[in-house]
Amino acid sequence: MPENWDRCLAVVAHPDDIEYGPASAVARWTAQGKRVTYLLATRGEAGIDGMHPDEAGPLREAEERAGAREVGVDVVDFLDHRDGVVEYGPALRRDIARVIRRHRPEIIVSGTFTTRMSAGMANQADHRMVGLAALDAARDAGNRWIFPELLDEGLEPWGGVRFVAYASAERPTHGVDVSGDPLRRGILSLAAHARYTQGLGASGFEPGPFLTWVARQDGRAMGVEAAVLFDVFQIIPDGPPPWLA
């Protein structure tokens, strides 16, 4: 995946979504001096069956901030949409576009918005809504006549998002080598979500073996020890179209 950029915004639905792989790529990028910011649509308050949302929300927010620190991210924003029933539409697009204008990323990382994920897994509703809204908001943020109310907030248009990269895609197009320390830090990032993973009960797992296995499987596609794969959607061409090159 291209790495000739300086600012990234990761946009996902829930605490722990970034940590299932992409956090290892984030660790690589922050070690290179790039700035990565997290944006979560919800606080994951509906994610622990045995814990009331009023208690689970603050807990999962704290775990997300702790996990972010493990990979060099110090800004984590939340939109407070309701966990489990996030709705795609102008309100969500505007909320994401607002943050894009504020942080002015060159790339956006999210989770795939398709119904089917990698390994044939069915995708969750919130993931689909947020992933698609992130793609549309990348363009909305650059158009002053879409959500003009953002101008009243002092947020000028930002049309500098070059591409949106989706993790867990069924058909990835690009990859990031996370061999060595990036994978180690990514594992620590997911391990920070201890109360959440414990709340999964019998379906819980150890972050280290799981992420290592996935990263090594993906690494085969790149010919490296460990990788995170993405499906990249271009917003701004990096060069002339192939037919003009």
Side-chain angles (χ1 to χ4, degrees), residues 53-119:
D54 290 348
E55 183 181 357
L59 166 68
R60 298 201 67 198
E61 176 186 345
E63 290 190 332
E64 181 60 35
R65 295 187 187 280
R69 287 193 293 270
E70 294 287 355
V71 292
V73 174
D74 57 9
V75 177
V76 182
D77 293 333
F78 293 85
L79 295 178
D80 286 325
H81 287 256
R82 185 181 166 198
D83 185 15
V85 290
V86 176
E87 296 184 9
Y88 175 87
L92 181 59
R93 286 167 51 192
R94 180 179 59 243
D95 286 348
I96 297 173
R98 176 183 290 111
V99 178
I100 293 173
R101 289 192 182 191
R102 183 179 301 137
H103 292 295
R104 298 182 166 242
E106 297 158 83
I107 76 162
I108 291 174
V109 168
S110 190
T112 185
F113 57 84
T114 57
T115 304
R116 191 186 300 272
M117 303 168 65
S118 59

Side-chain angles (χ1 to χ4, degrees), residues 33-52:
K34 303 181 190 302
R35 179 165 181 79
V36 181
T37 301
Y38 285 0
L39 175 65
L40 292 91
T42 80
R43 295 179 192 268
E45 67 273 11
I48 302 177
D49 183 66
M51 186 179 294
H52 192 278

Side-chain angles (χ1 to χ4, degrees), residues 9-21:
L9 176 67
V11 183
V12 296
H14 315 108
D16 88 317
D17 286 353
I18 301 170
E19 285 70 30
Y20 279 93

Side-chain angles (χ1 to χ4, degrees), residues 3-242:
E3 292 184 328
N4 57 339
W5 48 268
D6 296 313
R7 297 182 307 280
C8 168
L9 176 67
V11 183
V12 296
H14 315 108
D16 88 317
D17 286 353
I18 301 170
E19 285 70 30
Y20 279 93
S24 295
V26 171
R28 171 187 170 98
W29 295 331
T30 57
Q32 295 172 343
K34 303 181 190 302
R35 179 165 181 79
V36 181
T37 301
Y38 285 0
L39 175 65
L40 292 91
T42 80
R43 295 179 192 268
E45 67 273 11
I48 302 177
D49 183 66
M51 186 179 294
H52 192 278
D54 290 348
E55 183 181 357
L59 166 68
R60 298 201 67 198
E61 176 186 345
E63 290 190 332
E64 181 60 35
R65 295 187 187 280
R69 287 193 293 270
E70 294 287 355
V71 292
V73 174
D74 57 9
V75 177
V76 182
D77 293 333
F78 293 85
L79 295 178
D80 286 325
H81 287 256
R82 185 181 166 198
D83 185 15
V85 290
V86 176
E87 296 184 9
Y88 175 87
L92 181 59
R93 286 167 51 192
R94 180 179 59 243
D95 286 348
I96 297 173
R98 176 183 290 111
V99 178
I100 293 173
R101 289 192 182 191
R102 183 179 301 137
H103 292 295
R104 298 182 166 242
E106 297 158 83
I107 76 162
I108 291 174
V109 168
S110 190
T112 185
F113 57 84
T114 57
T115 304
R116 191 186 300 272
M117 303 168 65
S118 59
M121 294 292 294
N123 203 357
Q124 196 262 4
D126 286 355
H127 299 164
R128 303 197 309 269
M129 302 304 104
V130 174
L132 182 58
L135 182 64
D136 293 334
R139 282 203 171 98
D140 296 336
N143 189 326
R144 71 176 57 252
W145 307 120
I146 299 177
F147 310 130
E149 59 270 33
L150 297 181
L151 293 172
D152 297 334
E153 298 176 18
L155 296 170
E156 290 294 319
W158 171 250
V161 177
R162 292 166 46 196
F163 58 87
V164 183
Y166 288 97
S168 301
E170 186 178 20
R171 295 182 177 87
T173 59
H174 293 68
V176 177
D177 184 351
V178 297
S179 304
D181 193 59
L183 176 58
R184 181 189 67 81
R185 293 172 63 198
I187 291 169
L188 292 174
S189 186
L190 181 55
H193 294 262
R195 289 288 300 278
Y196 171 70
T197 55
Q198 291 168 8
L200 296 175
S203 62
F205 59 91
E206 288 295 327
F210 174 76
L211 288 182
T212 299
W213 180 82
V214 172
R216 286 178 176 171
Q217 292 292 112
D218 290 347
R220 295 178 183 176
M222 292 185 66
V224 299
E225 179 182 344
V228 177
L229 303 182
F230 295 92
D231 187 8
V232 172
F233 285 64
Q234 205 77 32
I235 305 295
I236 300 173
D238 279 335

